[in-house]
């Protein structure tokens, strides 16, 4: 694995890492990850089933929620194979091509999630600031176009990453910091000049996460301005309550992402398991919490979920 230089004619395998420094506690991590995967897969599956079955939920807001649930399932299934292999079966070697494919899908779904949260904020902006035009602005065709735009943009941004890595020689031990393949982790390993990789990586982060978060913030500034013009305090709270689920989804997506980025740049002296745990929070917590939040805060989904649980009980 280490020693000889590798290029596109002989790509090296990579070694995945569990929890460096906490190997004795990894059996507890298996239970935790199993719980997170179960809640994520079952929860998002239930959200999709409820929206499909409940006719009253066939409207733009819930179509976007369906996209978010599908995307969260994509994030979970992208990491599941290597996480299970690493923590449960202690299989820590992954081929170069498999690692590139996993890296592509993890980042692909992460970028799509940012786009979905942006279009969901636009949905809330139109619903609150221009309610009379809601039906004409957010038609089913436009919802499809917005969802497709998020996917196409994500694909175009992520597609070059594997090819930029393929051109570099690998001559180190090729030990990754996580139980899955991430681009910031992979670009530490080549022996060649990674300036282009770093520059392109920074560009796509700023042009997606940076731009999306700025536009989401702008939409909520406009929403708040519109809400403050409502005379009744009860009405203001009622309107803002329709945004709580989305604001929570934005918070649990962007805060861990910023934390991972800050730790990578300024936490180099922190124990290795700190970086691993933060990346686990970033990839595992949003897919798990999103269906929980929307189930609690959305009355129609909560009511349908209670009916399903009662039916299962009897």
């Amino acid at each position: 694995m280490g020693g000889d230089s590798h290029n596109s004619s002989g790509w090296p395998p990579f070694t995945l890492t569990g929890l460096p420094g906490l190997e004795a506690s990894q059996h507890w991590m298996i239970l935790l990850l199993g719980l997170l995967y179960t809640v994520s897969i079952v929860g998002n599956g239930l959200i999709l089933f409820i929206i499909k079955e409940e006719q009253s939920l066939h409207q733009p807001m819930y179509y976007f929620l369906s996209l978010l649930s599908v995307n969260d399932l994509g994030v979970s299934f992208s990491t599941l194979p290597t996480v299970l292999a690493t923590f449960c079966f202690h299989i820590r070697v992954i081929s170069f091509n498999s690692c590139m494919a996993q890296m592509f899908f993890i980042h692909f779904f992460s970028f799509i999630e940012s786009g979905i949260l942006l279009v969901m904020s636009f949905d809330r902006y139109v619903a609150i600031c221009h309610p009379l035009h809601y039906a004409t602005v957010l038609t089913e065709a436009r919802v499809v176009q917005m969802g497709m735009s998020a996917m196409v943009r994500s694909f175009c941004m992520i597609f070059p990453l594997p090819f930029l890595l393929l051109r570099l020689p690998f001559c180190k031990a090729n030990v990754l910091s996580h139980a899955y393949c991430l681009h910031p982790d992979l670009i530490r390993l080549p022996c060649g000049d990674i300036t282009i990789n770093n520059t392109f990586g920074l560009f796509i982060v700023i042009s997606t996460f940076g731009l999306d978060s700025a536009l989401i913030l702008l939409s909520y500034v406009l929403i708040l301005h519109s809400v403050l013009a409502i005379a009744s305090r009860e009405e203001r709270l009622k309107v803002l309550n329709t945004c709580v689920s989305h604001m929570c989804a934005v918070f649990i997506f962007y805060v861990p992402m910023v934390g991972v980025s800050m730790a990578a740049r300024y936490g180099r002296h922190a124990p290795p398991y700190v970086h691993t745990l933060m990346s686990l929070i970033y990839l595992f917590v949003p897919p798990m919490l999103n269906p929980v939040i929307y189930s609690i805060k959305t009355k129609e989904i909560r009511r349908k979920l209670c009916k399903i649980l009662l039916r299962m009980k009897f």
Side-chain angles (χ1 to χ4, degrees):
M1 290 235 311
D4 296 326
S5 178
H6 295 272
N7 53 33
S8 59
S9 62
W11 298 319
F14 296 97
T15 302
L16 302 169
T17 304
L19 284 176
L22 294 177
E23 286 79 5
S25 304
Q26 290 198 160
H27 58 283
W28 294 110
M29 184 57 63
I30 295 172
L31 295 176
L32 175 61
L33 292 176
L35 176 64
L36 293 177
Y37 274 124
T38 301
V39 174
S40 174
I41 294 170
V42 174
N44 285 294
L46 281 173
I47 291 287
L48 290 171
F49 174 77
I50 290 169
I51 293 175
K52 176 181 177 295
E53 293 296 314
E54 195 68 35
Q55 289 294 322
S56 63
L57 300 182
H58 292 182
Q59 49 185 295
M61 175 182 173
Y62 299 105
Y63 292 149
F64 291 135
L65 178 56
S66 297
L67 287 176
L68 185 64
S69 291
V70 170
N71 191 76
D72 284 341
L73 287 172
V75 173
S76 296
F77 285 121
S78 294
T79 58
L80 181 61
T82 54
V83 168
L84 284 179
T86 302
F87 286 101
C88 296
F89 304 107
H90 306 290
I91 301 173
R92 299 191 173 181
V93 177
I94 182 172
S95 69
F96 188 92
N97 289 333
S98 297
C99 194
M100 291 298 107
Q102 185 182 50
M103 178 199 72
F104 173 85
F105 283 110
I106 289 176
H107 291 296
F108 175 67
F109 288 119
S110 294
F111 277 59
I112 289 179
E113 181 142 355
S114 180
I116 293 172
L117 292 173
L118 174 61
V119 298
M120 291 176 84
S121 71
F122 178 72
D123 169 85
R124 292 298 83 208
Y125 163 74
V126 176
I128 294 171
C129 300
H130 304 283
L132 297 178
H133 301 287
Y134 184 81
T136 55
V137 172
L138 286 168
T139 61
E140 289 191 5
R142 189 155 293 159
V143 169
V144 172
Q145 290 172 359
M146 293 168 75
M148 290 298 297
S149 296
M151 287 188 278
V152 170
R153 184 191 68 164
S154 180
F155 179 84
C156 293
M157 290 293 183
I158 302 302
F159 185 72
L161 291 182
F163 296 99
L164 289 174
L165 284 168
L166 288 176
R167 67 186 180 85
L168 296 171
F170 286 82
C171 56
K172 299 181 182 179
N174 295 330
V175 177
L176 300 176
S177 304
H178 311 293
Y180 34 79
C181 300
L182 297 175
H183 183 257
D185 201 17
L186 286 166
I187 60 173
R188 298 183 302 103
L189 302 178
C191 304
D193 185 6
I194 60 170
T195 303
I196 294 176
N197 300 69
N198 275 326
T199 303
F200 183 73
L202 181 62
F203 165 74
I204 63 176
V205 167
I206 293 174
S207 59
T208 51
F209 296 138
L211 180 61
D212 290 352
S213 58
L215 291 174
I216 290 171
L217 179 61
L218 175 62
S219 71
Y220 274 103
V221 169
L222 296 173
I223 288 171
L224 188 60
H225 180 268
S226 180
V227 168
L228 290 176
I230 300 174
S232 169
R233 181 175 180 273
E234 289 74 16
E235 283 297 315
R236 288 199 297 266
L237 292 175
K238 184 178 178 181
V239 171
L240 286 175
N241 191 53
T242 64
C243 301
V244 170
S245 298
H246 178 257
M247 287 190 290
C248 290
V250 170
F251 181 81
I252 63 174
F253 177 75
Y254 282 105
V255 170
M257 182 187 67
V258 171
V260 169
S261 178
M262 295 294 286
R265 286 165 174 77
Y266 304 110
R268 295 177 182 175
H269 301 294
Y273 65 82
V274 172
H275 299 275
T276 304
L277 288 173
M278 292 192 71
S279 71
L280 288 172
I281 292 171
Y282 168 55
L283 286 174
F284 288 79
V285 171
M288 183 269 292
L289 282 185
N290 283 337
V292 174
I293 290 168
Y294 277 94
S295 297
I296 293 172
K297 292 299 299 178
T298 307
K299 184 167 58 178
E300 293 84 353
I301 293 177
R302 188 170 65 247
R303 187 186 302 123
K304 185 70 175 178
L305 183 60
C306 289
K307 288 181 181 178
I308 293 173
L309 292 175
L310 288 172
R311 197 178 305 157
M312 291 174 59
K313 183 177 180 180
F314 295 104

